[in-house]
Structures are given as structure tokens and as C-alpha cells.
Amino acid sequence: MDKLKKISLDRDLDEHLYTQLYNSIRDLIINKDIKPHEKLPPIRKLADFLDVNNITVVKAYSLLESKNYVYKKIGSGTFVSSIEEDNYVRDLERIDDEAYEDIRLMDRGQIEVRENMINFASATPTPELFPVDDFKHVLNDVLDRDKGMAFGYQESKGYFPLREYIVEYLEFYGIDTLIENVQIISGAQQGIDIIAKALLKHGDNVIVESPTYTGAIATFQSRGAKMVQLPIQENGIDLNLLETYIDKYKPKLMYTMPNFQNPTGYSYSMKTKSELLELANKKGLIIIEDDFSTDLNFYTNENATLKSMDKYENVIYIKSFSKIFMPGLRLGFLIVPISLNNEILIAKQTSDISTSGLIQRAFDLYLRKGIWRKHIKYMNEIYKERFDIMVDSLERYLPERTIFSKPLGGINFWVGLDEGFSSKELYSESINRNIAFVPGGIFYPGEVDSNFLRLSIAGVYPDDIKVGIQRLSQAITKCYGKKDTRIQKKSTYRPIL
Ligand SMILES: Cc1ncc(COP(=O)(O)O)c(C=O)c1O
């Protein structure tokens, strides 16, 4: 406790107490006043000592943990990490409260959109795109037809007629499956979670693309799995490297988004897809294919899903309806290889018993009436307009030394600042101009800093895209002019093990 007498918190400062506390403890760690593996005081004790709320200490400790300065041992407390000194270096700058709060919110999949903000951060469709009237009619029809039945518990596997129709719907996408392999889920996020719950044990390895979807990172972390990061490139992944990783790390699963990946927008070539399936079969690797935007295909005929090519039954396919229909439905489905059906069903049952019966029934009717084809066509037109304006604006306005590679569909664009510049720093500069985006570091386990950022077209209107990219480009130019917006230590993305 003696060393902690060096901590001084100033209540008159316009800075949260927890960030002051974080900065003070971090300085003590960096200066080796507190040694590696030394235990930090218990939360209540430190809170009493500093005369602050317990929550202040909890927030400071979890911030230190997220930056790898400390680690927690369940039941024992919080200890100082033994990472080499240079691992701290990139984080020497003090944390700016407001930008930090925004980034934390995004990390939990949320963003505060202020008035007049042009929102390239959200990957959720703008609300006027939702098929509200069509859905109102099917809801009414279901209530008239099924009455109280619509409000009972539904089977955990899902409403049978919906599963039956999904098998038919999938024929349109070249996927041949059976009703018993279709598992209804309350959104793709739940799909990832129940697969992890069913198939992973604490300490198991999972291969993820690097960068990858934050919600998947959070799920694998929550299950105590370790992520082996396989870099994604414009046309897919390096299969030789994957094979090396499979041999070395014996992963239980691989999590992929082969079409229009989140966050990069990159897609696997057909050759990579088929070779990946061969490799998975040879090595007995289970692949999770997260299909959140294959439908939004603008410029390729190579957007077949892995599942449609999966002759060996190694792929668990996850389909979200959030980007093409409505995220608030909380509805999606899995296609599970028959050998894993039971484990997945039990995991689903213990998560939420079943997905809402009312919503499943209404969506079933919506599909059966054929309205979905019309709606997908409509969404394609809307998104393609936004996509084309985005490509044109990025090509025109992004300053020199800033790169992006044009995806062939989907909603995400991955923009790279000049080597070594931090997109987190750009975030503070761009919110001053009312532009929101997602800093790239969030898409890597361990919250590294990155010179990349993700821009999404789902939540912006066509008229705002051009002006938004112009303003963002001004912010980038301003960052390039400032020395202190550089990442102090260049991040290298190695497997975290
Ligand atoms: C790649 C990916 N998977 C899953 C999800 C979650 O989807 P859902 O709303 O269906 O849970 C998202 C949401 O953005 C996503 O981008």
C-alpha cells in the first residue's frame, strides 16, 4: 500500500477519477515501483484508501487489464503482468477521456451517435430500410391464425415450418441440407456463442482471421479460448500458413467470413475456398462460416458460400438476417453437420430455451409469401448506390499515403493510414468533425493499436457519404501533420498464445 501513496487523484480536474487512477497505476508499473506478478490491493481496500467508489477502482483495473498491464486470477485478485517493457511503449500517451469512452462503447458493439454525426461506424441498416409494413401484415396474419399458440414456448431447435422453408430457401443459394440440420438461433452472435459453448473448453485454440469480427473475439475470450490469428489478405488466407498453424496449435475450430469479411470487406477466391475445404477435411478441422452479407454482392460471381461447397460436412454455417432484414428480429439459423447436432441443440437450450415463437412464425410467413426476394433485391439496390458513392469518394478524396482496396460487395471498407499512424488518434480528430468510424485495433484480440480503420456504408445516407469522406480526409491530413499521432511501437500481429 505504501507505493500507492504516490497515487494522487485530483477531483477538480476535468478528467474521470478512474482514468486518473488508471494513469497513476500504469506509471507505477512502467517505472517498476510495482513489480511484475506483484498483487494489486483488493478493490474495496484501495477504494477506502483513496476515498473513492469501488466502481472507480473496478473500472481502472479492467482498463489496466485490457491493456495487458495486469492480469486477474479468479479468486486471488489482480496482479501486475510480466510483459517486456517495450510492449508498454505504444501506450505511453495518457488516455483522452472522451475518445476512450467512445472506443470502449464500440468495443462492446455500441456507439453513441451524436446529432449531425455522419456515421460510418455502424454496420446496421438505416431504419427506413426495414420492411415494416410487410412485417406488420405477417404479424397480424400469424396472430389471427395461431392465436395463443404464437406466444407459447417454441421447440429449441426452432419452429418446424420455418426450418422446413429454410431448406427450400437455401436451394436458391446452392446449399443442399436437411431439416434436422437447421437450428434456429436468436441472431448470428448467439450462433457463435452456442457453438463456442458446445465445442470449446477453456484453453482450446481457435483460428480466427486477423482482423476479425469483434463479437466473435469477445465470445471466444469469454469461453477462455486462445485465438491464433491468421492474416486475411485481399483474396483470402495463406493456406500454407494455416496448415502450419493447424499442426502447431491443434485448433478446435476456425472462424471465417469468406465473403465480404467484417471488417476488411475482403473475400476468399473460389480456389482458396475449395482448397480450404480440402485442408479442413484432411486435418479434421471444423470451420465456422459466418455469412452476414453474401447477399450484398455487387461485382463478383465468386461469392459461393463454403457451405454450398462442403461435401465433407466440416462447415457449421451461420446465417444472420440482421444486415438484409432487421437486426431487431434477433433471428438467424445454423446449418450444423449431423454429428454435432445434439451438442449444439443442448447449448441453445441452455442459452434461451428457444428463439421467439412469434417472430419465427411471422418470418416463416414472410419467407413463404416470397416477399424476401423482393426485399433482398431492394436492399441490393440501396446498398449498391451507397457502395458506388463510397468507392468514388474514397478514390477522389483520400489523401496520399492512405490506402484502401475496393471490395466486391458487402458493407465494409478497410482504410489504411500511412504506416505507423494511429487510427485511434484519428478518431479523436474526426469526431471533432462529426464523423464516426471504427478504429481498426478493435478488430484484433488484445486491443492493439492499428493504422487501419473500418468504414461501413450501412448507416449512412448517400448524400452524406461524399461530404463525410471529405471531412475524414481533412482529419487524416491533419493527423499526418502532427508528430504525436504516430503509433509509438509498430504493432505486429502475431498469434496470441
Ligand atoms: C460478422 C458478423 N457476425 C455476426 C454479427 C451479429 O449478427 P446478429 O445481429 O445476427 O447477431 C455481426 C453483426 O454486425 C457481424 O458483423
Side-chain angles (χ1 to χ4, degrees), residues 47-114:
D48 286 348
F49 177 72
L50 296 170
D51 193 21
V52 295
N53 213 306
N54 285 354
I55 301 292
T56 304
V57 182
V58 170
K59 279 170 117 179
Y61 278 12
S62 54
L63 188 46
L64 285 162
E65 190 187 13
S66 74
K67 299 273 170 194
N68 290 335
Y69 288 111
V70 300
Y71 61 96
K72 287 201 177 104
K73 268 201 221 163
I74 295 173
S76 305
T78 303
F79 296 82
V80 175
S81 304
S82 63
I83 339 172
E84 290 309 309
E85 205 166 299
D86 67 350
N87 278 0
Y88 302 143
V89 173
R90 64 185 155 81
D91 193 40
L92 278 176
E93 82 282 10
R94 294 175 78 82
I95 292 220
D96 164 337
D97 265 4
E98 195 186 354
Y100 172 72
E101 268 313 315
D102 281 334
I103 287 165
R104 295 300 294 175
L105 274 175
M106 274 190 249
D107 200 21
R108 297 195 298 265
Q110 294 168 12
I111 171 157
E112 186 194 349
V113 181
R114 288 168 219 143

Side-chain angles (χ1 to χ4, degrees), residues 192 207-209 212-213 216 220 253-257 288 290:
I192 304 168
I207 293 187
V208 295
E209 291 154 349
T212 190
Y213 167 54
F220 296 135
L253 298 169
M254 172 176 179
Y255 171 76
T256 64
M257 290 162 273
I288 306 176
D290 186 349

Side-chain angles (χ1 to χ4, degrees), residues 187-189 192 213 255 257 262 290 292 320-323 330:
Q189 181 63 36
I192 304 168
Y213 167 54
Y255 171 76
M257 290 162 273
N262 181 8
D290 186 349
F292 73 107
S320 168
F321 291 127
S322 291
K323 309 298 173 205
R330 307 312 303 135

Side-chain angles (χ1 to χ4, degrees), residues 117 423 425-437 471-472 475-476 479:
M117 195 167 245
S423 59
E425 292 296 337
L426 174 66
Y427 188 80
S428 327
E429 201 52 69
S430 81
I431 47 173
N432 293 336
R433 292 171 169 77
N434 273 332
I435 306 293
F437 64 81
R471 284 199 227 153
L472 177 71
I476 296 175
C479 272

